[in-house]
Amino acid sequence: MARTRTGFVRRRRHKKIIKMTKGQWGTRSKNFKRANEAMMRSLWYAYRDRRQRRRQLRRLWIQRINAAARQNGMKYSQLVYGLKRARVELDRKSLAHLAVHDAATFSQIAAAARQHM
């Protein structure tokens, strides 16, 4: 059987990696070996940080809800407990949105939570 060489397959794979690392500094965008390392690491960071973004947003929502709850004379934990007892099923994202953009509605929700504590 005749020996085959990599030919255009290798060139196509290398060009794909180099294209993905365009904009990186120095040989990380020129040299295939360095570009491949940079690409692998950047894809790993992207995967990790997609999960971290969700954690960070949840922390931000909780901080905003806590600040609005304290303006209504409650703590965050008391508010969440009261909402659970009142069977109000609002998630933290929507509560934080209300806390920032619609303080009057949030204070009504806080009053309902206070009533059921």
Side-chain angles (χ1 to χ4, degrees), residues 43-57:
L43 289 177
W44 183 79
Y45 282 148
Y47 176 82
R48 181 198 68 184
D49 291 340
R50 281 194 297 272
R51 276 125 194 94
Q52 280 189 353
R53 182 176 57 222
R54 293 180 183 92
R55 289 179 222 153
Q56 290 166 354
L57 282 174

Side-chain angles (χ1 to χ4, degrees), residues 14 36 50 69 85 95 113:
H14 284 210
N36 196 35
R50 281 194 297 272
R85 295 278 307 265
L95 275 173

Side-chain angles (χ1 to χ4, degrees), residues 1-61:
M1 194 166 164
R3 184 175 83 88
T4 60
R5 293 171 22 195
T6 311
F8 74 97
V9 178
R10 178 182 295 163
R11 185 168 55 252
R12 190 169 53 190
R13 189 170 64 93
H14 284 210
K15 281 177 71 173
K16 181 177 73 173
I17 301 297
I18 298 292
K19 186 179 175 186
M20 286 176 79
T21 56
K22 187 178 175 185
Q24 298 258 359
W25 189 82
T27 58
R28 292 164 67 98
S29 63
K30 309 278 191 291
N31 184 339
F32 170 74
K33 189 173 183 180
R34 299 292 164 260
N36 196 35
E37 292 167 354
M39 184 263 318
M40 299 264 283
R41 181 164 291 136
S42 65
L43 289 177
W44 183 79
Y45 282 148
Y47 176 82
R48 181 198 68 184
D49 291 340
R50 281 194 297 272
R51 276 125 194 94
Q52 280 189 353
R53 182 176 57 222
R54 293 180 183 92
R55 289 179 222 153
Q56 290 166 354
L57 282 174
R58 185 180 169 97
R59 287 177 61 187
L60 176 66
W61 298 334

